[in-house]
């Protein structure tokens, strides 16, 4: 069994849980060399959903990591990219509005505040670089450095004294913001002019002639519109040696600047959607590398060959080789084993309680019809388990006669021919979920590396949470570390989904409402699956294409929030149930929540919602939702056997 020395490493699934210096902890993603961030001559706008890895990427590019104390040799060209990671203090920045002050004045104030914050970071970065192993700039040089332009703004030319003055000014500014009507407003450095002057002085110092500062503003979407316009102005006029770049969960809709210009991706910045930079094949291999690499770190094997590869940007070509990918995936799949669905069906029917559940459902289905056949005949020993598992769904469909089903069952058992092959393909997954539902709170279908990867929906954080839960439970059960049991994986999937659903309430101002929506929508899909006929067994998507009105602004904003936090996943329309359909967008419930409701994580079927019923799910009262939920089951049964979509 592999001994986990530092289990807490594996529990850190958010970049915010790591220190500023992530050197040795950052795994270079496959797309890193395509970004060109360290040599960029204009701004970059990184857009990516929560958990895609953008914040960890910025922490790696920050000076704390690239000039890390843990880095024994730093190349001379590193000075050409001094990254500064600046995460927006949402609460503080949101206090800079109204309160008897005109927006134009707030705009100027925020501009000065930004330069104050960044100037302080620039000075701290120089002190940090001077004490690192970088040979081009020493502590002695820092102590002897003079920044004469600072005196033009009534500050000291000595870097250490200047840093102290800027910090004191920042505190005075915070005091003024908190007591705007009574405190004295401090004098602030005048925005970009101050930064340009400061950097001009720095580039005159021997060894710093080529220094460039790259400011990465994280979560820019949380700023007030006028603040975004200020930063848009910085972005539009960015050029070496000062380049300001953004990140956000979604592309900001504020393109204006403090002048008359607007910013555009074509001319002013490189727009990069992180979620689309990797193919599924690249993502699955990278996720496996991260997990196996974290195991090496936790197991006190920090110099493993894998870690050397994933930490080194120059090794990307080696990692892209087919042999490397196959080796990594084989290793991770040995740790996260699973079985084929047909084998899961055999395992289920070997369980007496599940066999009794199946027998009872078959008996109830044929009781409604005129037939001499019995449940015991359908459960004959010669019939394959995967065929038996789907029998309740087939026998509950109005147009299916028991004798016809039995004849097809015999045909399939003899030579794998007939209609059962298609029935099993379409219904086995949903049938197994329904058989396991009353037996236990977890299902073995939620096991295996490929399943975990699918449920994570290419979200690294979600994958790590799933994996960490497996490790946690495996250690509690004292399982061998080289292979996690299917049962442990399934239980961990449920626990991870439960944790992530509880976390939703922290997602901004709509948090509690979003959590309620997920619980309601998940239970709707769960209710649909419990319909005995199971004509549509794997529903986890919806589209809004009917109703007596259009979506309101509030409803559209709610959908936008759900997409921003990846609670819903926007997809191109799947094949419509009707040639007259005008659907344009499908929304899938994030598959990471599937184990909680014991519904499918696979993107298969959808339901059609009216605008009014979407409102009920998102914003309706409990009584309105209860009425809707009770009608779902009835309508699904009325349409059993029909090829029409469910219209709620």
């Amino acid at each position: 069994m592999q001994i986990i020395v530092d289990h807490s490493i594996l529990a850190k699934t958010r970049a915010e849980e790591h220190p500023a210096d992530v050197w040795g902890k950052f795994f270079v993603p496959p797309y890193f060399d395509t970004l060109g961030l360290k040599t960029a001559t204009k701004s970059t706008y990184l857009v990516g959903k929560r958990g895609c890895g953008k914040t960890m990427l910025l922490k790696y590019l920050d000076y704390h990591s690239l000039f890390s104390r843990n880095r024994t040799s730093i190349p001379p060209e590193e000075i050409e990219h001094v990254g500064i990671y600046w995460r927006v203090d949402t609460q503080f920045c949101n206090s800079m509005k109204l309160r008897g002050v005109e927006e134009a004045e707030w705009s100027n104030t925020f501009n000065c505040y930004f330069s104050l914050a960044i100037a302080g970071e620039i000075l701290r970065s120089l002190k940090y670089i001077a004490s690192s192993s970088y040979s081009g700039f020493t502590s002695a040089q820092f102590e002897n450095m003079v920044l004469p332009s600072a005196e033009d703004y009534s500050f000291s030319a000595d870097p250490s004294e200047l840093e102290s003055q800027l910090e004191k000014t920042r505190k005075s500014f915070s005091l003024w913001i908190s007591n705007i009507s009574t405190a004295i407003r401090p004098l602030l450095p005048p925005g970009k002019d101050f930064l340009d002057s400061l950097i001009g002085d720095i580039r005159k110092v021997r060894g710093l002639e080529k220094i460039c500062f790259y400011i990465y503003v994280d979560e820019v979407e949380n700023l007030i519109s006028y603040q975004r316009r200020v930063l848009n102005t910085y972005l539009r006029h960015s050029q070496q040696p000062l380049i300001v770049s953004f990140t956000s969960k979604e592309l900001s809709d504020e393109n204006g600047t403090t002048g008359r210009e607007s910013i555009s991706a074509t001319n002013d910045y490189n727009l990069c959607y992180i979620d689309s930079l990797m193919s599924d094949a690249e993502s699955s291999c990278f996720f496996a590398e991260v997990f196996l690499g974290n195991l090496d770190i936790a197991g006190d094997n920090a110099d493993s060959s894998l870690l050397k590869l994933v930490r080194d940007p120059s090794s990307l070509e080696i990692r892209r080789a087919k042999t490397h990918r196959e080796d990594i995936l084989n290793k991770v799949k040995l740790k996260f084993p699973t079985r084929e669905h047909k084998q899961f069906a055999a395992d289920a029917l070997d369980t007496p309680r599940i066999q009794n559940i199946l027998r009872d459902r078959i008996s109830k289905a044929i009781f409604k019809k005129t037939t001499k056949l019995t449940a015991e005949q359908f459960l004959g020993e010669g019939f394959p388990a995967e065929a038996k598992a789907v029998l309740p769904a087939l026998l509950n469909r109005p147009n299916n006669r028991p004798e016809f089903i039995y004849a097809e069952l015999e045909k399939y058992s003899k030579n794998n021919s007939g209609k059962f092959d298609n029935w099993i393909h379409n219904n086995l997954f949903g049938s197994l979920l329904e058989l396991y539902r009353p037996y236990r709170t977890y299902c073995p279908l939620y096991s295996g590396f490929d399943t975990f990867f699918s449920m994570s929906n290419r979200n690294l954080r979600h994958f790590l949470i799933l994996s960490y839960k497996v490790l946690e439970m495996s250690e509690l059960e004292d399982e061998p570390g080289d292979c996690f049991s299917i049962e442990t994986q399934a239980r961990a999937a449920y626990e991870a989904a439960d944790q992530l659903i509880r976390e939703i309430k922290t997602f901004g101002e709509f948090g509690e409402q979003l959590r309620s929506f997920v619980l309601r929508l998940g239970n709707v899909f769960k209710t649909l699956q419990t319909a005995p006929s199971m004509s549509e067994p794997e529903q986890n998507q919806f589209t809004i294409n009917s109703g007596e009105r259009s979506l309101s602004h509030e409803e559209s904003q709610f959908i936008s929030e759900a997409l921003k936090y990846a609670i819903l996943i926007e997809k191109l329309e799947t094949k419509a149930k009707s040639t007259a359909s005008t659907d344009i967008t499908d929304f899938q419930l994030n598959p990471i929540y599937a184990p909680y409701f014991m519904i499918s994580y696979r993107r298969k079927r959808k339901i059609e919602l009216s605008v009014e019923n979407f409102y009920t799910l998102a914003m309706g009262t409990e009584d309105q939702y209860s009425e809707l939920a009770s009608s779902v089951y009835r309508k699904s049964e009325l349409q059993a056997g029909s090829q029409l979509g469910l219209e709620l």
Side-chain angles (χ1 to χ4, degrees):
M1 178 176 179
Q2 183 168 353
I3 299 173
I4 304 298
V5 176
D6 186 0
H7 210 165
S8 63
I9 291 173
L10 296 158
K12 293 178 180 178
T13 58
R14 299 186 63 191
E16 292 81 1
E17 296 171 318
H18 290 278
D21 179 3
V22 296
W23 186 261
K25 300 181 181 70
F26 178 73
F27 297 164
V28 180
Y31 56 77
F32 184 78
D33 56 350
T34 67
L35 296 176
L37 292 175
K38 293 178 70 174
T39 56
T41 56
K42 68 176 181 178
S43 302
T44 303
Y45 195 150
L46 297 168
V47 180
K49 295 291 189 293
R50 183 185 179 94
C52 70
K54 61 183 183 298
T55 300
M56 198 69 173
L57 172 64
L58 299 190
K59 284 199 167 190
Y60 172 71
L61 293 168
D62 181 73
Y63 68 87
H64 290 96
S65 297
L66 291 184
F67 293 90
S68 170
R69 300 290 185 271
N70 300 316
R71 197 174 181 187
T72 55
S73 177
I74 301 176
E77 62 271 17
E78 205 70 85
I79 202 66
E80 297 174 28
H81 178 283
V82 177
I84 292 175
Y85 168 60
W86 192 67
R87 188 176 185 187
V88 174
D89 185 336
T90 306
Q91 184 176 356
F92 183 72
C93 289
N94 282 346
S95 66
M96 283 188 258
K97 64 180 179 182
L98 304 176
R99 303 169 73 189
V101 178
E102 294 292 327
E103 187 174 277
E105 183 62 26
W106 275 129
S107 179
N108 179 61
T109 300
F110 179 75
N111 181 22
C112 296
Y113 166 67
F114 180 73
S115 71
L116 174 67
I118 298 306
E121 281 297 322
I122 286 174
L123 293 171
R124 282 186 284 275
S125 72
L126 294 176
K127 185 187 295 185
Y128 197 87
I129 292 168
S131 60
S132 72
S133 60
Y134 180 72
S135 59
F137 184 65
T138 65
S139 295
Q141 285 178 280
F142 178 79
E143 291 172 4
N144 294 324
M145 187 167 63
V146 178
L147 304 172
S149 294
E151 294 180 335
D152 297 334
Y153 302 97
S154 301
F155 289 111
S156 171
D158 178 83
S160 295
E161 289 184 20
L162 175 58
E163 182 192 352
S164 178
Q165 289 173 345
L166 291 174
E167 180 60 19
K168 185 177 180 179
T169 303
R170 187 195 64 78
K171 291 177 179 178
S172 297
F173 179 71
S174 297
L175 181 65
W176 175 71
I177 289 292
S178 300
N179 304 273
I180 195 169
S181 61
T182 56
I184 299 174
R185 175 174 175 165
L187 290 175
L188 301 175
K192 191 172 184 295
D193 287 342
F194 180 66
L195 293 176
D196 288 340
S197 298
L198 202 62
I199 294 171
D201 285 347
I202 293 169
R203 285 170 68 91
K204 293 175 183 176
V205 176
R206 184 173 56 83
L208 301 180
E209 295 89 352
K210 294 183 178 181
I211 195 168
C212 292
F213 294 95
Y214 290 75
I215 317 302
Y216 298 104
V217 183
D218 198 8
E219 298 187 351
V220 71
E221 78 273 23
N222 291 331
L223 290 170
I224 302 168
S225 289
Y226 85 80
Q227 295 170 354
R228 280 181 278 172
R229 290 195 293 272
V230 170
L231 293 183
N232 286 348
T233 306
Y234 276 91
L235 181 143
R236 190 175 193 279
H237 297 287
S238 284
Q239 59 182 358
Q240 294 178 338
L242 177 63
I243 293 179
V244 176
S245 296
F246 296 166
T247 77
S248 61
K249 295 183 184 69
E250 58 185 3
L251 186 64
S252 172
D253 56 1
E254 177 58 79
N255 295 317
T257 64
T258 54
R260 294 183 178 180
E261 312 100 334
S262 294
I263 59 171
S264 67
T266 306
N267 301 314
D268 301 312
Y269 58 88
N270 297 317
L271 178 59
C272 185
Y273 286 93
I274 292 182
D275 297 311
S276 62
L277 290 179
M278 291 188 288
S279 65
D280 281 345
E282 289 173 324
S283 293
S284 63
C285 183
F286 182 53
F287 285 19
E289 288 173 329
V290 172
F291 174 74
L292 295 173
N294 276 332
L295 277 188
D296 284 344
I297 294 172
D300 203 22
N301 187 20
D303 293 323
S304 71
S305 57
L306 173 60
L307 285 172
K308 289 178 181 177
L309 276 178
V310 297
R311 291 168 174 167
D312 182 7
S314 66
S315 297
L316 283 170
E317 283 302 318
I318 297 174
R319 291 166 58 196
R320 290 182 180 122
K322 183 180 178 181
T323 52
H324 171 77
R325 288 185 178 177
E326 289 177 346
D327 179 57
I328 290 295
L329 291 175
N330 286 337
K331 286 178 180 177
V332 80
K333 286 178 182 180
L334 287 174
K335 289 185 175 294
F336 293 92
T338 189
R339 294 176 185 152
E340 293 185 357
H341 296 161
K342 290 182 179 181
Q343 184 57 52
F344 279 134
D347 295 343
L349 267 62
D350 282 341
T351 306
R353 186 174 173 185
I354 293 182
Q355 196 173 72
N356 290 336
I357 292 170
L358 181 62
R359 182 181 291 105
D360 181 61
R361 290 179 179 171
I362 293 173
S363 297
K364 288 180 178 178
I366 60 179
F367 179 76
K368 303 173 186 177
K369 302 184 177 185
T370 304
T371 182
K372 293 182 179 180
L373 291 169
T374 65
E376 293 303 327
Q377 287 176 280
F378 279 101
L379 292 171
E381 289 188 8
F383 298 145
E386 66 270 19
K388 295 178 187 178
V390 301
L391 284 170
L394 301 175
L395 290 167
N396 272 292
R397 294 172 189 173
N399 297 331
N400 286 347
R401 294 182 298 106
E403 288 75 15
F404 171 69
I405 299 295
Y406 191 81
E408 288 294 326
L409 183 60
E410 288 184 315
K411 188 187 299 184
Y412 178 78
S413 302
K414 290 177 181 178
N415 51 25
N416 286 335
S417 63
K419 294 184 176 294
F420 257 93
D421 189 52
N422 188 53
W423 285 336
I424 290 168
H425 175 76
N426 289 332
N427 296 278
L428 181 56
F429 194 95
S431 296
L432 287 173
L433 287 173
E434 194 58 21
L435 283 174
Y436 273 99
R437 189 190 307 282
Y439 175 58
R440 53 176 68 152
T441 57
Y442 58 90
C443 177
L445 289 171
Y446 305 116
S447 65
F449 172 77
D450 288 336
T451 298
F452 275 26
F453 177 72
S454 295
M455 288 194 296
S456 67
N457 192 49
R458 297 172 67 171
N459 183 300
L460 180 57
R461 178 172 178 257
H462 287 171
F463 175 77
L464 291 176
I465 287 174
L466 285 167
S467 303
Y468 173 63
K469 285 292 182 184
V470 172
L471 280 166
E472 189 180 56
M473 292 187 169
S474 178
E475 289 194 346
L476 287 173
E477 297 295 328
D478 200 26
E479 289 184 346
D482 56 346
C483 180
F484 308 118
S485 71
I486 288 173
E487 179 179 331
T488 294
Q489 293 179 62
R491 287 171 55 209
Y494 174 84
E495 291 294 329
D498 179 47
Q499 173 185 325
L500 288 167
I501 287 174
R502 283 187 278 111
E503 184 184 86
I504 294 173
K505 63 185 178 183
T506 66
F507 292 176
E509 60 177 307
F510 289 94
E512 192 54 55
Q513 198 173 353
L514 288 168
R515 178 178 172 275
S516 174
F517 172 72
V518 167
L519 292 172
R520 289 176 173 184
L521 184 61
N523 279 312
V524 164
F525 292 134
K526 178 180 175 180
T527 299
L528 288 168
Q529 186 177 297
T530 61
S533 62
M534 209 179 290
S535 57
E536 299 282 1
E538 293 189 56
Q539 291 164 314
N540 59 6
Q541 299 177 94
F542 69 90
T543 188
I544 306 170
N545 69 339
S546 62
E548 298 179 358
R549 61 177 177 82
S550 300
L551 287 167
S552 68
H553 172 73
E554 185 183 17
E555 289 161 342
S556 297
Q557 188 179 15
F558 183 85
I559 291 175
S560 177
E561 286 291 298
L563 292 171
K564 181 171 77 173
Y565 288 104
I567 286 168
L568 292 179
I569 299 158
E570 195 172 23
K571 298 284 186 179
L572 294 177
E573 180 188 5
T574 55
K575 56 183 180 181
K577 294 289 183 177
S578 166
T579 56
S581 174
T582 57
D583 301 358
I584 56 172
T585 306
D586 292 340
F587 299 101
Q588 181 184 4
L589 180 65
N590 195 314
I592 194 67
Y593 306 131
Y596 182 85
F597 302 103
M598 209 174 283
I599 60 176
S600 177
Y601 58 85
R602 310 190 304 180
R603 184 174 177 241
K604 293 289 185 179
R605 304 286 190 267
K606 67 179 178 182
I607 60 176
E608 297 170 358
L609 292 176
S610 68
V611 175
E612 293 79 10
N613 282 289
F614 172 76
Y615 173 85
T616 297
L617 288 172
M619 304 167 190
T621 65
E622 282 302 314
D623 287 342
Q624 290 172 323
Y625 167 68
S626 296
E627 183 179 347
L628 171 63
S630 63
S631 71
V632 169
Y633 183 90
R634 294 194 303 272
K635 289 187 177 182
S636 65
E637 282 303 275
L638 287 173
Q639 294 182 351
S642 169
Q643 292 304 303
L644 296 175
L646 177 65
E647 293 191 11
L648 300 176

